[in-house]
Amino acid sequence: MKTHEAAVDGAATDRAAADGAAADGADVDEAAVDGRGARASSWEEGPADLRLVPLAVAAWVAAAVAVGVSGWWTVAGVVVCLVGGAVLLTPAAARRFGGTAGPGEGSGAADAPTGRGTPAWRLRATAFAGVLLCAAAGAASAGLHTADLRRGPVPALAREYARAQLEVTVTSDPRLTRPRVRGSESVPVSVVLDGEVTRAERSDGTVQRTRAPVLLIVPPGEGRAEWLRLLPSTRLSVGARLAPPSRPGDPFAAVLKVGGGGPPRIIGPPSALQRTAGELRAGLRRATDGLDPDARALLPGLVVGDTSRIGSELRDAFVATDLTHLLAVSGSNLAVVLILLVGRPGRAHQVERGGLAPRLGMSLRGTAVAGGALTLAFVVVCRPEPSVLRAAACGFIVLLAIGTGRRRSLIPALAAAVLLLVLYDPWLARSYGFLLSVLATGALLTVAPRWSEALRRRGVPGRLAEALAASLAAQAVCAPVVVVFAGRVSLVAIPANLFAELAVAPATVFGFATLAAAAVWMPAAEGLAWVAGWPAGWIARVARTGAALPGAELSWPGGWWGGFALALVTAVVVIAARRLPHRGPVAGLLVVLLLLVVVRPVPLTRWATGWPPRGWVFAMCQVGQGDATVLAAGGDAAVVVDAGPDPVPVDRCLRELGVRRVPLLVLTHFHADHVAGLPGVLRGRSVGAIQTTGLEEPPAQAAFVRRTAAAAGVPLIRAGAGERRRIGGLEWTVLWPAAESGAAGGGAGRAAGDGSFEGEGEGEGEGEGEGEGEGEDEDEVGGGRVAGGRRVAAGSGGANDASVAMLVRAAGGLTLLLLGDLEPPAQRGLLRAHPGLAPVDVLKVAHHGSAHQDPGLIRAVRPRLALVSTGRDNPYGHPSPRTVESLRVGGARVLRTDRDGAIAVVGAGPGLMAVPGGG
């Protein structure tokens, strides 16, 4: 990287630095004359120095391209760039390439020497040569790093999907995968960690030494706790099946699926550095054990990036409010701590800086050494991984801005940091997180000061102007990138960040104090953690409150075209804001409109969009590939049937419908696409009871429902055939599952051990425990299974055929049949058990409209409306064209959530109507 261009720029930089030092020296001398700590005459910034920016961008782009192409293409690109750079450095080519005068320049302008005595043509050619040489360096670094992914035994074993015995060095903290729903099943949560294979032994006994980065996936098992306690640099011996990465461009040579669920086999302890960091992090976790759940989960993440305790619900809230940068180690963490040392902005050109340094009698040099020591400790505790190194580099840049106020010198510092980090770790060139960090830092250094000054001129107080300008600038440059991979825009990001920033500094400072005290005296650490828990809890409440607003997020087209469109819209808004007349009143009007869009009062939303329709009786939420339906029970109350596969969409649907009370939540069966969204129904609502089927399969999902209900203090009851209930004008009968014992429960009492029910149901209306069991001959429905002390007719469909099926009569005489996921055997059993089943107005089609439907049941109920809940582009082909055609032939109008969005039913009789909600 020591090119001729670097030498030329280096000399120029040295001269500029000398000039700057002289100017600074004059300022210091004047400050000394004025008195210790007195402010000298106002200091003006010069124009931004952008010379290193093209070099950094060239290396970045070249590395991003090179990590995704084959090695020979990388070699060719490096050679072309090197040859081009070398040619441009020759005098003849430099004069020919750089000798053209610019627009409006005279014929001799290109030959005229600059202020440094160097002809302009040579500087221009040298600059282009530097760009090519930096591109060559970036591509070469990427090529060397990606070579480890293609050579050696590990990629070959992965292509064969072979099993092998491997020695692996752990290179990251273990982490858990996010709970996901795939079809009707919940994907097991596995332990994932990065590693580097150093030795591979094939099944035939062949042993090879190598060095290949890999991703380890450890399935659930008894050894999970031991896997989660592993520290980076620990050496393991693992038996695993290898597979290729799922996407080209992934930064590892293979995926290792570790066999069994036992503990790891450790063959080498972690390094002393990593043991120290691990002990400090563990001490922080112990000190926070007694805090409230949100503060307990959040504080380690704010301080050292330890997000192991943060659940999916809290994480989703941070995503919705664009506060996820607080959950990862960032430069701001380091800057907050270093501000305590050097003080507030704009103090570097004075004799003594602010902060603790002058109070402790530290010189400027001592302050710099102390800042370096704090930075080193920061890297040790947060682990010297690329993301932490990136945070330290960006933190130094922010620290320079805070300490000196000289933003002119900080742009080249940022460019240099980008250049060095990309050369050190080329995978950062394709990291969205790295891109967002650089964009946000650049915006804080360039855009935010100008916007802050503009706000001050309009009467905004100084501190508020700085905070508002910083949030606006960061959001303006980062939102288009977030759209690329998330396909959404947060409308509450700016106010959420403003409110959260009030607590970030105290939470970080007291959090680091807790970290240090935990290594010495745990009672003191617990006291400091209690103090830090208050601001940490505030941040969590800001995230949850912002995410709970109906219009917190706006869907936007994803991908690069979506990002480009949002960037264009942002540019138009910024230009319009500068040139629009009467900006004050217009801005106030826009803020009011944005507030209404975010809050979305139901009457106003209904007037503007027609959703939800007035007088809706039944609604089918759009929750993707799953089920969640709502029966209006009067006022803000509703009976909810199933919760879908994800808490977020069902919560949003209920908020749009204005549902705040749920007297009864019915979970038809325990498949994940019907119960995984349970926390979304419970969020911010009073729920009277949760009613379930008697067949607790799959066991993991049934256990999840029990845990979630117990945590919320909501009783669980079981449904039985013949049970009848009424809440206000809404009444229904449970038709299925049949129970051989004949003891079908009613009411809202708890299920007794024998499957009967004790007490009468109250809910939010009248509960009637008057059901009589209507047992079904188990041979006719494919057999039964014992659940909760009684035999439930489950049928060949297993859990699907144990679904709770309900016949509902709503106000006005509207009738609905909700079939859960019943398969044809159970559908035939239901029809035999209820031969007098009359036609209904609305049918919730079973099992997402799959091809497995009983034609006899469809002919018997002859629905006027048939509603299908299914996800867009689902891999199952739901709904089946055959099922849709069968329903239409029977006279039904078929609506489906994958095309029509959420669906609401209003009216009855001749006035029956289905209203699609779109989306």
Side-chain angles (χ1 to χ4, degrees), residues 84 247 396 514 737 801 807 905 914:
R247 295 186 303 267
F396 265 128
T514 303
D801 277 353
L807 180 63
V905 176

Side-chain angles (χ1 to χ4, degrees), residues 555-624:
S555 296
W556 192 274
W560 289 107
W561 284 112
F564 176 77
L566 183 58
L568 186 61
V569 170
T570 303
V572 170
V573 170
V574 171
I575 294 172
R578 296 181 62 183
R579 299 184 178 180
L580 197 66
H582 310 294
R583 282 174 288 188
V586 172
L589 178 61
L590 291 176
V591 169
V592 171
L593 290 176
L594 181 61
L595 183 63
L596 292 175
V597 169
V598 170
V599 177
R600 291 186 188 178
V602 173
L604 183 61
T605 304
R606 181 181 291 122
W607 173 81
T609 66
W611 182 267
R614 190 176 300 277
W616 66 273
V617 179
F618 175 76
M620 177 174 281
C621 298
Q622 183 190 29
V623 293

Side-chain angles (χ1 to χ4, degrees), residues 1-13 55 126 130 133:
M1 290 297 297
K2 293 183 179 179
T3 63
H4 179 64
E5 164 64 12
V8 172
D9 278 350
T13 302
L55 308 183
T126 304
L133 294 174

Side-chain angles (χ1 to χ4, degrees), residues 16 28 76 92 104 222 224 302 344 434 472 513 650 716 750 791-792 906 908:
V28 171
E222 296 179 356
R224 169 180 290 185
L302 289 171
R344 63 181 179 83
F434 182 66
L472 286 170
V650 67
L716 283 175
R750 293 183 177 273
R791 184 172 294 274
V792 177
V906 297

Side-chain angles (χ1 to χ4, degrees), residues 191-250:
V191 177
V192 178
L193 61 157
D194 301 333
E196 185 176 80
V197 173
T198 57
R199 182 179 183 273
E201 181 178 352
R202 293 175 176 266
S203 56
D204 60 2
T206 305
V207 176
Q208 288 179 278
R209 291 284 176 181
T210 185
R211 190 185 68 178
V214 293
L215 179 72
L216 285 80
I217 300 178
V218 184
E222 296 179 356
R224 169 180 290 185
E226 287 81 357
W227 283 97
L228 289 173
R229 283 196 292 267
L230 289 176
L231 297 175
S233 74
T234 305
R235 292 173 53 235
L236 308 175
S237 176
V238 299
R241 183 175 298 278
L242 289 80
S246 59
R247 295 186 303 267
D250 281 341

